[in-house]
Amino acid sequence: MEDFQKKCVELIRQQHALMIVIATSGLALIEPSYGAKGGPLHYEIVIPTCIVAIFLTIGMVLPADQLANGTRAVSFHIMCQSYSLLVMPFSYYILVYYWKWDQMLDILSTDFSKGVMAALCMPTTAFTCVMFTRQAGGDESVAVCNAALGNLLGPLVSPVVAHLFLGGHSSMSILKEAFKLGWQLVLPLIAGLAIQFAVIQHNAELIPVMVKWARFVFDIILVVVLYFIFCEGFHAEPDSITAVSVSLMVVWVTVVHICAFVGAWYYASPFSPKRRVALMFVASQKTEGMAIAILAIISNHSGALIMPVVVYHTVQMAFAASICPSVKRYLASLEGYCTLGDDDEAVPVCQRTGHVGRQETVL
């Protein structure tokens, strides 16, 4: 019984995001008019305030100090961010979204299709990608650096990419919207970073406490935003989300994520096995909180548009947790490989040159 309770607690901890979505969507279904636009809970005031608060807290917990530690691996950072922010959305747009294969096959509705496209335009996660990289035995240092870098670039790049691929905007309106989003999203992020650095200068020992409370506040705000977005979506489109449509969307998102995950492994082929693992986990994962905040600004706040983002986050967590042991065993089988100096290539131990000045690090 005790083992069963521990497993239940662990399941709840791992899938808390999915449970939050189920709870908030169920609450919104009871009376969506309360949280919809024009409702008594003042949607128009709450959502902009919460979005600012979300990016403020992201800035407070972002491990920005790790950016300086990874300056030597510039080529890796470029490859990782380009795959996450450009290659993934562009490939999906060219192969699927432009031709509307998902809708023609009656797998996704129009809003779900847009939601999957929007999810792929978002940056990587701030913490979970690092956690899974560590569990799989990958290069944690470059994972931490790219998690921070991705969440700094995300507020600037993701809205523009989403506008381009979702369509319906001229180039001038995209530039205006990007400038508007820069003020709405980047300034709170910078303010959060400033608070973080101020605390470090005053008393670095307070950072763990600040991060703990900032994450707690972030989760609370995210629940509030999800509730209001689902209220607006259900109020405007009460019949657009069904059990069958959600089930098909979960299957589709799972396939898309696995393809992105495998594609990241081959995309990172120039690097050592540990760095390939890091890129595979970091570049294929997508943030949930920042994505919801960004879509709440650039979209019509449709609950059907947000749902694929939440599902993608849940799928990537479950898939990463299941694949980590296999990846770790694979890396263990490559213990006879090493990286020489700053080169990102893996070579067999029997081929070590032994040249002076080139440090060998066994993976």
Side-chain angles (χ1 to χ4, degrees):
M1 179 62 70
E2 186 176 345
D3 291 340
F4 177 74
Q5 290 177 345
K6 288 182 179 179
K7 289 181 180 179
C8 288
V9 171
E10 182 65 18
L11 179 64
I12 293 173
R13 187 185 66 83
Q14 291 180 353
Q15 304 298 336
H16 72 281
L18 178 60
M19 294 181 181
I20 287 174
V21 171
I22 294 173
T24 52
S25 60
L27 189 63
L29 270 172
I30 296 174
E31 187 50 68
S33 61
Y34 285 171
K37 292 179 182 177
L41 296 181
H42 301 289
Y43 175 102
E44 296 81 358
I45 298 174
V46 173
I47 287 295
T49 304
C50 285
I51 289 170
V52 171
I54 282 176
F55 280 86
L56 181 67
T57 54
I58 288 175
M60 292 172 67
V61 303
L62 201 62
D65 57 313
Q66 298 293 331
L67 288 173
N69 298 335
T71 52
R72 294 176 61 187
V74 175
S75 60
F76 179 87
H77 304 328
I78 293 174
M79 290 281 283
C80 187
Q81 297 304 320
S82 64
Y83 186 85
S84 175
L85 297 171
L86 298 175
V87 174
M88 278 181 66
F90 181 76
S91 299
Y92 186 80
Y93 179 83
I94 291 296
L95 296 175
V96 178
Y97 188 77
Y98 178 79
W99 306 101
K100 300 186 185 300
W101 294 120
D102 49 355
Q103 297 180 56
M104 290 173 60
L105 295 173
D106 291 328
I107 298 175
L108 300 182
S109 65
T110 300
D111 279 340
F112 278 172
S113 178
K114 289 182 178 179
V116 174
M117 183 72 254
L120 296 176
C121 296
M122 299 301 151
T124 186
T125 57
F127 305 105
T128 57
C129 63
V130 178
M131 177 186 72
F132 288 122
T133 299
R134 183 193 306 122
Q135 291 179 0
D139 191 332
E140 185 180 351
S141 62
V142 292
V144 171
C145 182
N146 277 276
L149 185 60
N151 281 267
L152 288 174
L153 293 174
L156 293 173
V157 178
S158 294
V160 176
V161 175
H163 270 312
L164 287 171
F165 290 137
L166 292 176
H169 300 271
S170 66
S171 58
M172 185 59 68
S173 66
I174 291 175
L175 291 175
K176 289 181 179 179
E177 196 68 23
F179 182 76
K180 171 187 171 184
L181 286 167
W183 286 101
Q184 288 182 288
L185 307 182
V186 178
L187 284 183
L189 188 66
I190 293 174
L193 287 169
I195 293 172
Q196 180 183 157
F197 287 126
V199 173
I200 292 174
Q201 293 296 323
H202 178 70
N203 187 355
E205 294 180 357
L206 295 176
I207 286 293
V209 178
M210 184 192 73
V211 169
K212 178 182 177 180
W213 281 102
R215 288 186 182 180
F216 175 76
V217 172
F218 175 87
D219 289 340
I220 296 298
I221 297 171
L222 195 59
V223 169
V224 173
V225 171
L226 281 171
Y227 170 74
F228 276 87
I229 288 176
F230 280 127
C231 281
E232 174 62 19
F234 292 147
H235 183 68
E237 315 163 83
D239 300 321
S240 64
I241 301 177
T242 65
V244 174
S245 64
V246 171
S247 299
L248 289 172
M249 185 260 293
V250 170
V251 173
W252 180 264
V253 168
T254 302
V255 173
V256 169
H257 176 66
I258 292 175
C259 291
F261 190 84
V262 174
W265 172 257
Y266 288 103
Y267 188 78
S269 58
F271 303 106
S272 65
K274 281 196 170 184
R275 288 196 172 177
R276 291 181 74 179
V277 169
L279 191 147
M280 186 168 60
F281 280 103
V282 174
S284 65
Q285 294 199 358
K286 298 296 179 179
T287 178
E288 178 189 37
M290 186 181 292
I292 290 171
I294 291 174
L295 290 176
I297 296 177
I298 69 175
S299 73
N300 293 323
H301 316 295
S302 168
L305 193 64
I306 298 297
M307 187 73 77
V309 173
V310 178
V311 170
Y312 191 98
H313 179 81
T314 303
V315 165
Q316 72 188 13
M317 294 279 286
F319 180 75
S322 64
I323 202 72
C324 272
S326 299
V327 175
K328 192 169 186 176
R329 285 194 297 270
Y330 169 75
L331 288 178
S333 70
L334 297 178
E335 288 182 351
Y337 282 72
C338 65
T339 55
L340 302 180
D342 296 333
D343 294 344
D344 289 324
E345 299 176 353
V347 298
V349 173
C350 61
Q351 295 179 10
R352 293 178 183 176
T353 60
H355 290 176
V356 178
R358 300 189 74 186
Q359 181 183 0
E360 296 183 359
T361 306
V362 178
L363 293 183

